Amino acid sequence: MCGIAGFWKPGGLGNDALTDLKSMIDVQLHRGPDGQGTHLDEKNGIALGHARLTIIDLHTGSQPLCSGDRDLGLVVNGEIYDYKKIRADLLTRGDRFQTKSDSELILALYRRFGLEMMGQLRGEFAFALYDQSEDRLLLVRDRFGIRPLFYHISEKGIYFGSEAKVVLAHRDVPNRLDRKAALNQLMHTMVPGTSAFEGVHAVPPGKIIEIRRHGDSLDVKEHTYWDLTFPEMDGYDTESDESVHVEAVREKLVESVALRLEADVPVGCYLSGGIDSCSILGMASGAMQSPVKAFTISFDSDDYDEAQIAKEMAGATHADQDIIYLRASELYGDNFIRTVWHAERTFYNTLGVAKWCMSRHVRDAGYKTVITGEGSDELFGGYPAFKRDMFLHGLNHEPESVRKEYEAALEKSNQIFKGAILSEEAQSHPAWEDLCGFTPSWIQSWIATCAIARPLLSKETEEELEGYDPVQAIAEQIDPAMVRNRHPLDRAQYTWSKTMLEGQILNWGGDRVDMANSMESRPAFLDHHVAETATTIAPPYRIKGNIEKYVLREAMKGVLPEVLYKREKFAFMAPPAHTDIAKQRMVNELIGRYLDEDSVTSAGLLDAEKVQNFITEYKADTDATSLVRKDALLNHLLCLQILHRQYIEGETPVRHW
């Protein structure tokens, strides 16, 4: 794991190129504290930079990497799995290597296969590769967007880096919060391919951004090398017994976990009380000779804490469990502010802060790498919103009484999450109705949040956004061909994976808060071989009756305690502020610092009077569902103001690396 940076100026590099490149590296030293490297090609206008976190090849894997004739230049962030087998095969074909790193494989594979090499790359990665003979730059991101990669294009050139702040560190890149992105953040769902900053774009998952020189200008094209592809309605295997799917999932998951245990440093596991992380721990324990180090978060609320179930799983696998107990003082205050700086976007729940605290604890315990359970719900139909859509739109063969029974059970079991992950009232939007034939349940809650967020914008912001529909903007970035003639459950899972998975779970809930403390997370479920197996499972096996993730449960039955095997999906969230007096007190301190009238007016994004009215209403509210939604919006408002203070006004959070 690492941080990458660079730029390409068709007109050539100036005298300040090295200074600018070092600024881009320095701002992401948290991603790579173990070594930094630069490569300048003044003639061709290329600058490549790297901040290294040593995981594989501790001694010879420094970057940037160049081919022997220096025709190719490369910087990589992430891991390529099965690299020993691939390298051995390439050696028999005459290729030679300068290092023992997995990253160098990309140079050899590109030499032989060009862009067709992508089919052989298994893992989570982002990289930039300059090909002098073709005079082109490639920006590439892994299939799900596990590793981040941002870029900015202007008439002067293209600038790129692992985080938005890296791009902004170059003097040629303007620094302004994007008002459209601000509204999308307030409603919680970013538009795919965007960031919080104007003109700073995210390379989409499964894409290659190809940049070629034309004189002193650059031509940009986007290529798709992979997508999460579900069969069309009549394309599922309905003849095979469910055991065929169970065995296939088990085989691919065991292989995925075994590959992610490969490292030249110790590898641990994140462990919550969910099926996903418990399955990972069970498989890792079987593959390792010594007890697995398992890290667990414990919250100070019985409604949100899963530590007890995690303890049972740790005991069953003889894992070495390490529990971090988080209270209000850890979830707010300076930790909240630091997490915003690293996340580079707003968040609705302090889960991101909890994950930041966890990654710091893991690193302090001497671990740089953990395997995690993210991606399981996306692939196997685990979220309550997916189940709701299955019951409403995917069970046409079932009597209405059965569908109603299932939905009633779902509503009762997820009452605690109403207002956040489930909307208490049905919401509809024409763009989504056109795209999917219905408005997916996962976005309905955020449509409702938008209705109370948009009136808080300042007059200037609202004027700039006149005619802008943030919900429609999200839908417009979904490829209609990938949801056309698909099962309703497939449509829900695909659209979530293209939005919330990349923009939230793998962002402020994953890479950004883990790498803030120089700690790499490896989500084994998001191996593309696992994903391609999961998409072949017919929807009635993914959600069988009232049981979500049915095939996964059966595949992992041998390693799961009975209480967990039978347990319904429980969304992993931190306790909202309204649930605890200590949290309310600390939130009020943040409100006084960032949402006071002068601060809001100075930032110019929000209307100070309307924000104060919202806060007054929030403090007087006693309805649990309403408070969950208002808690989420309050967090977004605080984060937005903190982003402005940090990135526009220059307030720097206390750094600790």
Side-chain angles (χ1 to χ4, degrees):
M1 275 298 292
C2 307
I4 65 176
F7 46 92
W8 186 15
K9 294 188 173 184
L13 299 180
N15 295 330
D16 52 9
L18 182 59
T19 299
D20 288 333
L21 185 59
K22 286 184 175 180
S23 295
M24 298 171 80
I25 297 171
D26 288 346
V27 80
Q28 59 177 333
L29 288 182
H30 51 280
R31 297 190 70 91
D34 298 334
Q36 294 77 49
T38 61
H39 169 70
L40 297 179
D41 180 346
E42 296 181 2
K43 177 183 176 182
N44 291 295
I46 285 286
L48 300 175
H50 193 260
R52 189 179 186 215
L53 177 65
T54 52
I55 302 290
I56 291 175
D57 186 11
L58 306 185
H59 305 295
T60 67
S62 299
Q63 297 188 38
L65 294 165
C66 294
S67 57
D69 56 8
R70 305 188 73 79
D71 192 42
L72 302 176
L74 175 72
V75 281
V76 184
N77 168 33
E79 306 294 349
I80 309 298
Y81 300 115
D82 219 7
Y83 68 95
K84 292 180 179 178
K85 177 182 176 182
I86 298 172
R87 186 172 62 210
D89 177 71
L90 290 170
L91 281 167
T92 66
R93 299 173 187 274
D95 291 271
R96 294 295 178 263
F97 297 90
Q98 305 171 53
T99 74
K100 292 289 187 179
S101 76
D102 55 320
S103 297
E104 193 179 358
L105 288 178
I106 295 173
L107 290 177
L109 290 171
Y110 178 77
R111 281 278 198 211
R112 287 188 172 274
F113 304 107
L115 297 185
E116 296 300 315
M117 71 173 174
M118 297 309 303
Q120 299 189 50
L121 297 184
R122 182 176 190 174
E124 47 265 5
F125 50 79
F127 64 84
L129 188 156
Y130 176 68
D131 182 340
Q132 181 177 315
S133 63
E134 294 285 339
D135 202 17
R136 70 175 178 182
L137 175 70
L138 303 175
L139 301 181
V140 184
R141 197 172 179 199
D142 66 61
R143 293 166 177 84
F144 286 99
I146 300 166
R147 300 298 163 232
L149 185 55
F150 294 89
Y151 67 98
H152 169 79
I153 298 178
S154 71
E155 68 281 355
K156 294 182 179 180
I158 183 167
Y159 312 81
F160 56 88
S162 290
E163 299 182 6
K165 64 177 67 69
V166 177
V167 180
L168 295 172
H170 195 288
R171 72 185 74 197
D172 289 346
V173 180
N175 188 358
R176 182 175 186 254
L177 290 176
D178 189 306
R179 292 178 187 256
K180 290 181 179 178
L183 178 55
N184 276 99
Q185 289 173 90
L186 293 180
M187 68 161 281
H188 187 64
T189 312
M190 295 282 283
V191 176
T194 66
S195 76
F197 303 94
E198 195 171 281
V200 178
H201 311 282
V203 176
K207 303 283 188 180
I208 300 170
I209 305 296
E210 179 185 18
I211 306 100
R212 288 183 178 272
R213 189 200 314 258
H214 286 287
D216 287 340
S217 64
L218 298 174
D219 179 53
V220 181
K221 292 183 179 178
E222 183 178 289
H223 307 278
T224 300
Y225 70 87
W226 190 89
D227 206 349
L228 182 65
T229 306
F230 291 95
E232 295 193 3
M233 288 287 282
D234 59 354
Y236 282 105
D237 174 11
T238 57
E239 301 297 324
S240 298
D241 186 80
E242 65 185 48
S243 62
V244 174
H245 297 298
V246 171
E247 288 301 321
V249 167
R250 181 184 293 123
E251 176 188 346
K252 294 301 182 183
L253 275 174
V254 168
E255 180 181 64
S256 176
V257 170
L259 286 172
R260 282 159 180 78
L261 288 170
E262 176 69 39
D264 294 332
V265 296
V267 180
C269 288
Y270 275 165
L271 176 64
S272 68
I275 291 173
D276 314 328
S277 63
C278 288
S279 297
I280 296 297
L281 178 61
M283 289 181 283
S285 296
M288 292 181 67
Q289 295 296 98
S290 57
V292 178
K293 187 77 169 181
F295 297 93
T296 298
I297 292 174
S298 178
F299 293 119
D300 57 352
S301 168
D302 291 340
D303 288 336
Y304 292 85
D305 188 40
E306 297 183 290
Q308 192 56 46
I309 295 178
K311 286 180 183 178
E312 184 170 340
M313 184 66 197
T317 57
H318 306 289
D320 177 12
Q321 188 179 26
D322 188 341
I323 301 177
I324 175 173
Y325 297 91
L326 296 180
R327 304 296 181 259
S329 58
E330 285 84 24
L331 295 177
Y332 295 95
D334 287 343
N335 289 349
F336 188 101
I337 296 166
R338 288 191 185 99
T339 301
V340 175
W341 188 80
H342 285 287
E344 302 177 331
R345 62 151 293 176
T346 70
F347 42 80
Y348 81 108
N349 182 264
T350 53
L351 170 61
V353 187
K355 293 288 294 294
W356 180 89
C357 294
M358 173 63 96
S359 66
R360 178 181 59 179
H361 182 84
V362 170
R363 187 59 197 259
D364 288 347
Y367 281 75
K368 292 182 178 182
T369 309
V370 295
I371 306 179
T372 71
E374 283 91 355
S376 169
D377 291 307
E378 283 74 14
L379 297 178
F380 296 99
Y383 289 116
F386 296 163
K387 191 186 284 190
R388 178 186 277 182
D389 287 339
M390 182 70 165
F391 295 163
L392 289 176
H393 311 291
L395 295 178
N396 294 331
H397 61 287
E398 295 280 7
E400 184 176 357
S401 59
V402 173
R403 299 200 302 269
K404 292 291 186 183
E405 179 185 345
Y406 289 160
E407 190 176 3
L410 174 68
E411 299 304 298
K412 181 179 180 181
S413 62
N414 286 281
Q415 192 65 34
I416 190 174
F417 302 114
K418 285 288 190 68
I421 63 173
L422 285 175
S423 176
E424 65 276 21
E425 296 180 0
Q427 304 286 332
S428 179
H429 192 282
W432 286 91
E433 297 289 334
D434 289 344
L435 179 68
C436 295
F438 60 94
T439 301
S441 293
W442 67 261
I443 200 171
Q444 289 188 30
S445 183
W446 309 122
I447 293 174
T449 301
C450 188
I452 61 174
R454 187 155 198 160
L456 303 182
L457 299 177
S458 68
K459 180 180 178 181
E460 294 77 14
T461 301
E462 192 54 71
E463 287 177 351
E464 185 173 325
L465 300 188
E466 183 179 359
Y468 176 68
D469 184 339
V471 183
Q472 179 178 330
I474 300 165
E476 288 175 347
Q477 293 304 307
I478 305 296
D479 183 355
M482 301 305 294
V483 295
R484 188 181 301 123
N485 197 31
R486 262 66 172 196
H487 189 279
L489 179 60
D490 299 343
R491 297 177 220 169
Q493 288 181 226
Y494 181 83
T495 54
W496 169 282
S497 296
K498 289 298 173 181
T499 51
M500 300 289 281
L501 174 62
E502 186 270 340
Q504 171 191 313
I505 294 168
L506 299 176
N507 183 321
W508 60 260
D511 174 273
R512 220 56 51 80
V513 290
D514 289 328
M515 287 300 287
N517 292 294
S518 310
M519 203 282 299
E520 174 187 88
S521 54
R522 298 176 170 185
F525 284 101
L526 293 179
D527 183 288
H528 74 282
H529 293 270
V530 175
E532 289 168 358
T533 300
T535 57
T536 67
I537 302 170
Y541 287 152
R542 269 177 266 153
I543 299 178
K544 187 174 183 179
N546 199 29
I547 303 174
E548 75 280 355
K549 296 196 283 194
Y550 174 76
V551 165
L552 178 62
R553 289 174 191 267
E554 294 303 306
M556 296 292 106
K557 188 175 182 178
V559 300
L560 297 175
E562 184 177 7
V563 63
L564 189 56
Y565 167 73
K566 294 182 177 179
R567 187 188 188 212
E568 188 174 13
K569 166 68 182 179
F570 184 88
F572 185 49
M573 293 169 57
H578 75 268
T579 61
D580 180 86
I581 293 176
K583 293 181 179 62
Q584 293 172 13
R585 186 182 307 116
M586 297 201 71
V587 166
N588 285 335
E589 292 179 6
L590 288 172
I591 289 172
R593 182 173 174 180
Y594 292 101
L595 288 177
D596 63 286
E597 184 176 353
D598 288 344
S599 295
V600 173
T601 301
S602 175
L605 298 168
L606 305 167
D607 184 288
E609 182 178 354
K610 292 178 180 177
V611 168
Q612 293 308 311
N613 290 339
F614 168 78
I615 293 171
T616 300
E617 292 174 6
Y618 164 77
K619 291 180 178 180
D621 201 341
T622 58
D623 179 78
T625 300
S626 174
L627 278 168
V628 170
R629 174 161 291 123
K630 289 177 181 176
D631 261 320
L633 180 54
L634 179 59
N635 282 329
H636 284 306
L637 292 169
L638 283 168
C639 292
L640 189 61
Q641 286 293 119
I642 293 170
L643 282 172
H644 183 273
R645 187 80 64 85
Q646 292 174 341
Y647 284 94
I648 308 305
E649 296 184 359
E651 178 182 276
T652 303
V654 177
R655 303 187 193 180
H656 55 279
W657 58 87

